[in-house]
Amino acid sequence: MQPSKRVFIASIATETNTFSPMRTDLQDFHDSFYAPPGTHPATPTLCSAVYTAARAGAVELGWEIIEGTASWAEPGGVVNQSTWDFLRDQLLEELAAAGPVDIVLLGLHGAMVAQDTIDCEGELLALVRAQVATNAIIGVTFDPHSHLSHRRVENADLITVFKEFPHTDFVETAEDLVRLAAAAAAGETRPEISTFDCRMIEIFPTSREPMRGFVDRVRRMEGKGDVLSISVIHGFMAGDVPDLGAKVIVITDGAKRAGDAMAARLGKELFGLRGRTRPEFLGLDEGLDRACAAKAGPVVIADVWDNPGGGVPGDSTTLLRAMLARGMHNVALASIWDPIAVRTCFSAGEGACLRLRFGAKMAEGCGEPLDADVIVRRTRRSAVQSFGASIVPIGDAAWIEVGGIDVILNSVRSQVFSPDIFSNMGIDPEKKSVLAVKSTNHFHGAFAPMAADILYLSIDGPYPNDPATNRYTRLTRDIWPKVKNPHET
Ligand SMILES: [Zn+2]
């Protein structure tokens, strides 16, 4: 019987769109999710599933768990430097106060950029490494929409990444990390991380081929021979950082050369899928033509780029204006972020009719604010939606009716994950002909079972959606599609 392992867990997560007009500070973490030591709920959030996974494994593994703070801010703009300094130092102080530990497990997103710190997670992992015993195991979970720097790989023993996009496997990813860390700390395995730089940036939904098959095959390779774990970093095209792009991670049990070869093989295979992984993106008119012509509903139309989950404000009115101009009806849209308009709706009260200005206040390219006669159908304090086992706040929210279209206005930014964003406000999504959602693909898992059809609309806005022309200033290497074949140069 081995002595019980002392395990420190913590989570700091957000995704930074360096092109966004938003800025992210401590209040944004408090608005989305902030759990001081010992207060993390029994349900996991996307990046803090290490808490529930480690707690669940503690008895079986004989772990003594010391919890640090867990925090998450909705993706936004560059993080205020003092906010990052505070969160980082707080974690390091909590780690120091924990005393000697055998294992550190961190739930990070991996695409956080602060004003003067380009690689927040790399800095954090290096500082954690410097603070713990040389034989302590450091494990981290990342979101695939992140950047993998050498500094992170150098300072972590284990990295697991959500394999699915939508990230339906965030709990499983944390459970994998717990299992791998337990084996490594017990001396049963000697993890070695191999990586391959695919030198590309693309969107890789796993809800469709060819990524579906790629991920299924990767899963079958895990646990065979010396292969402990395989992950794919998709990259995040709205983060201007040197490490932007897709990378493959293979963790072997002491078989670095074989791991390097496998990472290269899988990475080149992924590179071979470039340009073929994203769903068909329709233009605004084409998409609405198809939605209007549909024989059955609800047709789900995704405004893929005005996705607050990608760090933009999420207050574009372009899609809503186009639907109003067509006189579309029996349509619901979630959501337009406008805390001031929400406040006004609360003041007016349920049932009130008023002239309201809403939307398009935060960025160029979001259209113009709408000035319209609206009816306030419902108001809700601290409204939420679900994302798998996770509960996601959207803040105080109002359901307004404008020109026959039901629109949810929210005050805490969030992309749409689940139809319950509608039903929690009193709108029955099943009865609608068209459901318009602001999300790139995370909506897919929960909406697909009820959707008659799903259409992806590419509407230009503040999101830097074309990596070939995005103005990257920090890239230090060639990537596709900026160059045709970066592996030849
Ligand atoms: Zn992601």
Short mmCIF file of all heavy atoms in Angstrom, two decimals, residues 15 46 72 109 143-146 162 164-165 167 234-236 309 415 442, ligand 1:
data_model
loop_
_atom_site.label_atom_id
_atom_site.label_comp_id
_atom_site.label_asym_id
_atom_site.label_seq_id
_atom_site.Cartn_x
_atom_site.Cartn_y
_atom_site.Cartn_z
N GLU A 15 -10.37 32.47 -22.76
CA GLU A 15 -9.84 32.42 -24.12
C GLU A 15 -9.78 33.85 -24.62
O GLU A 15 -10.79 34.55 -24.62
CB GLU A 15 -10.79 31.59 -24.98
CG GLU A 15 -10.43 31.46 -26.43
CD GLU A 15 -11.53 30.71 -27.19
OE1 GLU A 15 -12.60 31.28 -27.42
OE2 GLU A 15 -11.31 29.54 -27.52
N LEU A 46 -16.51 23.82 -17.79
CA LEU A 46 -15.72 23.32 -18.91
C LEU A 46 -14.26 23.02 -18.52
O LEU A 46 -13.78 21.92 -18.72
CB LEU A 46 -15.76 24.36 -20.03
CG LEU A 46 -15.09 24.01 -21.36
CD1 LEU A 46 -15.84 22.89 -22.05
CD2 LEU A 46 -15.05 25.23 -22.26
N TRP A 72 -13.12 31.16 -14.20
CA TRP A 72 -13.34 31.13 -15.65
C TRP A 72 -13.99 32.45 -16.05
O TRP A 72 -14.92 32.91 -15.40
CB TRP A 72 -14.27 29.96 -16.01
CG TRP A 72 -15.03 30.12 -17.30
CD1 TRP A 72 -16.28 30.66 -17.44
CD2 TRP A 72 -14.61 29.74 -18.61
NE1 TRP A 72 -16.65 30.63 -18.78
CE2 TRP A 72 -15.64 30.07 -19.51
CE3 TRP A 72 -13.44 29.15 -19.11
CZ2 TRP A 72 -15.55 29.85 -20.87
CZ3 TRP A 72 -13.35 28.92 -20.49
CH2 TRP A 72 -14.40 29.26 -21.34
N HIS A 109 -7.40 26.86 -19.85
CA HIS A 109 -7.95 26.89 -21.20
C HIS A 109 -6.82 26.77 -22.22
O HIS A 109 -6.82 25.91 -23.07
CB HIS A 109 -8.77 28.16 -21.43
CG HIS A 109 -9.38 28.19 -22.80
ND1 HIS A 109 -8.64 28.42 -23.93
CD2 HIS A 109 -10.65 27.99 -23.22
CE1 HIS A 109 -9.42 28.36 -24.99
NE2 HIS A 109 -10.64 28.11 -24.59
N ASP A 143 -8.18 23.33 -23.43
CA ASP A 143 -9.18 23.38 -24.49
C ASP A 143 -8.40 23.28 -25.81
O ASP A 143 -7.32 23.85 -25.91
CB ASP A 143 -9.93 24.72 -24.37
CG ASP A 143 -11.07 24.87 -25.35
OD1 ASP A 143 -10.82 24.91 -26.58
OD2 ASP A 143 -12.22 24.96 -24.89
N PRO A 144 -8.94 22.59 -26.82
CA PRO A 144 -8.17 22.51 -28.08
C PRO A 144 -8.00 23.86 -28.78
O PRO A 144 -7.08 24.02 -29.59
CB PRO A 144 -9.01 21.54 -28.94
CG PRO A 144 -10.37 21.56 -28.34
CD PRO A 144 -10.18 21.81 -26.88
N HIS A 145 -8.88 24.83 -28.44
CA HIS A 145 -8.75 26.16 -29.06
C HIS A 145 -7.74 26.98 -28.28
O HIS A 145 -8.07 27.99 -27.66
CB HIS A 145 -10.12 26.84 -29.13
CG HIS A 145 -11.10 26.02 -29.91
ND1 HIS A 145 -12.23 25.48 -29.36
CD2 HIS A 145 -11.07 25.61 -31.20
CE1 HIS A 145 -12.87 24.78 -30.29
NE2 HIS A 145 -12.19 24.85 -31.40
N SER A 146 -6.52 26.50 -28.30
CA SER A 146 -5.48 27.09 -27.47
C SER A 146 -4.17 27.07 -28.24
O SER A 146 -4.12 26.65 -29.40
CB SER A 146 -5.37 26.30 -26.17
OG SER A 146 -5.11 24.93 -26.44
N PHE A 162 -9.47 18.39 -24.63
CA PHE A 162 -10.77 17.92 -25.12
C PHE A 162 -10.60 17.44 -26.56
O PHE A 162 -10.07 18.18 -27.39
CB PHE A 162 -11.84 19.02 -25.10
CG PHE A 162 -11.87 19.86 -23.84
CD1 PHE A 162 -12.15 21.22 -23.92
CD2 PHE A 162 -11.64 19.30 -22.60
CE1 PHE A 162 -12.19 22.01 -22.78
CE2 PHE A 162 -11.66 20.08 -21.45
CZ PHE A 162 -11.93 21.44 -21.54
N GLU A 164 -13.24 16.49 -28.44
CA GLU A 164 -14.46 16.79 -29.20
C GLU A 164 -14.68 18.29 -29.35
O GLU A 164 -14.42 19.06 -28.43
CB GLU A 164 -15.68 16.18 -28.49
CG GLU A 164 -15.59 14.68 -28.24
CD GLU A 164 -15.64 13.85 -29.52
OE1 GLU A 164 -16.05 14.40 -30.57
OE2 GLU A 164 -15.26 12.68 -29.48
N PHE A 165 -15.18 18.69 -30.50
CA PHE A 165 -15.65 20.04 -30.74
C PHE A 165 -16.99 19.92 -31.41
O PHE A 165 -17.03 19.60 -32.58
CB PHE A 165 -14.65 20.82 -31.59
CG PHE A 165 -15.12 22.22 -31.94
CD1 PHE A 165 -15.84 22.98 -31.03
CD2 PHE A 165 -14.85 22.77 -33.19
CE1 PHE A 165 -16.29 24.26 -31.36
CE2 PHE A 165 -15.29 24.04 -33.52
CZ PHE A 165 -16.01 24.78 -32.60
N HIS A 167 -17.22 20.53 -27.24
CA HIS A 167 -16.42 19.90 -26.18
C HIS A 167 -17.28 19.06 -25.24
O HIS A 167 -17.37 19.33 -24.04
CB HIS A 167 -15.67 20.95 -25.37
CG HIS A 167 -14.85 21.88 -26.22
ND1 HIS A 167 -14.22 21.48 -27.38
CD2 HIS A 167 -14.53 23.19 -26.06
CE1 HIS A 167 -13.56 22.52 -27.90
NE2 HIS A 167 -13.74 23.57 -27.12
N HIS A 234 -6.30 22.35 -31.61
CA HIS A 234 -6.82 22.87 -32.88
C HIS A 234 -6.21 24.23 -33.21
O HIS A 234 -6.04 24.58 -34.36
CB HIS A 234 -8.34 23.04 -32.81
CG HIS A 234 -9.09 21.75 -32.63
ND1 HIS A 234 -10.45 21.66 -32.74
CD2 HIS A 234 -8.68 20.49 -32.35
CE1 HIS A 234 -10.85 20.41 -32.54
NE2 HIS A 234 -9.78 19.69 -32.28
N GLY A 235 -5.92 25.00 -32.15
CA GLY A 235 -5.49 26.37 -32.33
C GLY A 235 -6.67 27.32 -32.26
O GLY A 235 -7.83 26.89 -32.34
N PHE A 236 -6.37 28.60 -32.12
CA PHE A 236 -7.42 29.62 -31.99
C PHE A 236 -7.02 30.81 -32.85
O PHE A 236 -6.09 31.55 -32.52
CB PHE A 236 -7.55 30.01 -30.51
CG PHE A 236 -8.57 31.07 -30.25
CD1 PHE A 236 -9.88 30.91 -30.67
CD2 PHE A 236 -8.23 32.23 -29.56
CE1 PHE A 236 -10.83 31.89 -30.43
CE2 PHE A 236 -9.18 33.21 -29.31
CZ PHE A 236 -10.48 33.04 -29.74
N GLY A 309 -18.37 33.20 -27.48
CA GLY A 309 -17.42 32.16 -27.09
C GLY A 309 -16.10 32.28 -27.82
O GLY A 309 -15.13 31.62 -27.46
N GLN A 415 -21.99 32.37 -25.36
CA GLN A 415 -22.52 31.80 -26.59
C GLN A 415 -23.68 30.88 -26.25
O GLN A 415 -23.93 30.59 -25.07
CB GLN A 415 -21.44 31.04 -27.34
CG GLN A 415 -21.01 29.74 -26.69
CD GLN A 415 -20.01 28.99 -27.56
OE1 GLN A 415 -20.32 28.58 -28.67
NE2 GLN A 415 -18.79 28.84 -27.05
N HIS A 442 -20.51 24.80 -30.70
CA HIS A 442 -20.85 24.23 -29.39
C HIS A 442 -22.34 23.97 -29.22
O HIS A 442 -22.73 23.14 -28.41
CB HIS A 442 -20.35 25.13 -28.26
CG HIS A 442 -18.90 24.91 -27.94
ND1 HIS A 442 -18.34 23.66 -27.89
CD2 HIS A 442 -17.91 25.77 -27.66
CE1 HIS A 442 -17.06 23.76 -27.60
NE2 HIS A 442 -16.77 25.03 -27.46
ZN ZN B 1 -12.79 25.44 -27.36
#
